[in-house]
Amino acid sequence: MTHQPTKPSLPWKTRISVFLISTLSDAARHSDGTVNRRFFRLLDFQVPPNPKPTNSVTSFDTTIDASRNLWFRLFSPSVPSNLVLPVVIFFHGGGFTFLSPASQAYDAVCRRFARKFPAFVVSVNYRLAPEHIYPSQYDDGFDVLKFLNGNGATILPENADLSRCILAGDSAGANLAHHVAVRACRSGFQTLKVMGLVSIQQFFGGEERTEAEMQLLGSMLVSVPRTDWCWKAFLPNGSNRDHEAVNVSGPNAVDIAGLDFPETMVVVAGFDPLKDWQKRYYEWLKASGKEATLMEYPNTIHAFYIFPELPEASQLIMQIKDFITNCCSKLQQN
């Protein structure tokens, strides 16, 4: 009988990175619910857009609404102009509190996505808590879809196909992507069609403490004290963690049974304290009559895929590529 190891086996490079991220983000969060943005910027290395190909991918930024700092970074792979590609709209993680498309890790991973899938990747900058609480982040995400639906022909390359659009996100970004997908189902967009949802280690929760949350209490990057702080910073005053934004399959869940909700790929890691909530999400999607696939990585951690030195990171990118290909092939069959 094979037993799962009690701790993840990670290279020293990854361990050091995780330790630094955890320690410095903890230091930036204050017990009164505020964030020391100036301090956090010391570790959040920012990468500018690059119109010259880097690893065969160019990038540039487009501002939608400067008053709320709503913008996106477009990553374009170097492919023949007659090769039509899908559009992946990506929402970054960070507990709704930290990071942006310009953060070094997310710039790098979106660049890999664009090159490996290949696809045009739109990485969204949305407002952050605690300065901006729910539903600001969902409003920003959906407004990017509305903008692309109306202006995609002038903003995106000619070979970008918005009728083959994939929503994607990790952690808080996966939470955001789910709620944006629900809004998109009700939107009646004429140009943009969401064909699939790539949901990587979703940041969901609830009032209940799950078995994984209790067993992995001192986990890297994500832990109960950290998630509790983030939910309190994100939610309106008086709300608890069974709010529909948090516990998407719980007592206040939005019923999606009657919606044309996109096929969803749910990614779960064995050493992620959120894994029980993520598996419930997958089960809820199936119970709601939606197509969903569960991808499990039993021996790794939350946010594993942003560390390219981990073999699981490359495996996941290939699985996402296959998922996108499958979603797009169904459109062609129809």
Side-chain angles (χ1 to χ4, degrees):
M1 183 175 177
T2 307
H3 295 279
Q4 182 182 9
T6 56
K7 291 184 179 181
S9 177
L10 299 172
W12 277 108
K13 179 181 178 181
T14 310
R15 289 187 175 277
I16 292 170
S17 297
V18 167
F19 172 79
L20 289 174
I21 294 169
S22 300
T23 302
L24 294 174
S25 60
D26 285 348
R29 290 185 292 106
H30 296 163
S31 58
D32 64 358
T34 60
V35 173
N36 187 333
R37 295 285 178 204
R38 182 176 297 179
F39 176 79
F40 188 76
R41 279 195 290 269
L42 296 176
L43 72 104
D44 183 19
F45 301 109
Q46 301 278 301
V47 179
N50 191 346
K52 295 182 179 180
T54 301
N55 293 329
S56 301
V57 176
T58 61
S59 61
F60 73 88
D61 296 345
T62 296
T63 298
I64 297 175
D65 185 349
S67 69
R68 53 178 158 148
N69 198 28
L70 179 60
W71 56 272
F72 64 82
R73 179 163 294 180
L74 174 66
F75 296 85
S76 302
S78 299
V79 297
S81 59
N82 62 346
L83 179 61
V84 179
L85 297 179
V87 177
V88 175
I89 302 177
F90 179 80
F91 303 98
H92 67 82
F96 293 114
T97 307
F98 300 116
L99 306 174
S100 80
S103 298
Q104 188 176 51
Y106 282 114
D107 182 89
V109 81
C110 287
R111 195 172 294 279
R112 287 198 295 274
F113 284 169
R115 184 176 71 254
K116 295 288 188 179
F117 291 163
F120 293 102
V121 178
V122 173
S123 184
V124 177
N125 189 72
Y126 53 86
R127 287 171 288 179
L128 299 176
E131 296 87 349
H132 305 280
I133 63 170
Y134 165 92
S136 300
Q137 295 77 10
Y138 301 164
D139 292 343
D140 290 350
F142 184 64
D143 283 350
V144 170
L145 268 65
K146 288 198 295 185
F147 177 83
L148 291 174
N149 182 67
N151 302 278
T154 57
I155 296 296
L156 300 178
E158 290 185 5
N159 54 332
D161 185 359
L162 278 171
S163 71
R164 295 188 294 158
C165 181
I166 304 292
L167 298 185
D170 74 312
S171 196
N175 174 307
L176 203 165
H178 165 80
H179 289 284
V180 169
V182 172
R183 293 191 186 190
C185 290
R186 300 167 173 159
S187 67
F189 287 144
Q190 297 300 308
T191 303
L192 187 150
K193 172 66 176 175
V194 178
M195 296 301 300
L197 172 60
V198 177
S199 192
I200 304 170
Q201 300 180 281
Q202 316 84 48
F203 183 29
F204 293 144
E207 284 296 294
E208 174 194 351
R209 297 302 188 195
T210 66
E211 182 179 352
E213 285 176 317
M214 299 311 297
Q215 287 181 345
L216 299 168
L217 199 57
S219 176
M220 303 177 185
L221 293 178
V222 170
S223 64
V224 167
R226 293 182 184 117
T227 57
D228 281 358
W229 187 98
C230 289
W231 288 131
K232 189 174 181 180
F234 171 72
L235 290 171
N237 287 335
S239 301
N240 66 24
R241 294 188 304 275
D242 281 332
H243 189 282
E244 66 182 54
V246 183
N247 192 351
V248 296
S249 59
N252 302 307
V254 174
D255 184 8
I256 64 168
L259 299 179
D260 185 20
F261 196 81
E263 182 176 351
T264 304
M265 173 181 173
V266 179
V267 180
V268 178
F271 287 96
D272 186 346
L274 301 175
K275 66 179 180 180
D276 290 341
W277 295 111
Q278 295 158 2
K279 289 180 181 179
R280 287 186 193 182
Y281 176 59
Y282 164 75
E283 292 162 0
W284 174 74
L285 289 172
K286 299 287 282 187
S288 299
K290 308 308 170 187
E291 289 189 65
T293 303
L294 182 65
M295 299 290 186
E296 296 190 77
Y297 289 82
N299 298 318
T300 194
I301 61 172
H302 191 83
F304 69 90
Y305 85 111
I306 68 170
F307 302 103
E309 65 272 15
L310 298 179
E312 292 92 344
S314 297
Q315 293 169 21
L316 178 60
I317 287 179
M318 290 301 102
Q319 287 188 315
I320 297 173
K321 177 180 180 178
D322 291 343
F323 174 79
I324 293 173
T325 301
N326 182 58
C327 288
C328 293
S329 67
K330 289 181 179 179
L331 174 65
Q332 292 170 348
Q333 291 169 6
N334 294 335

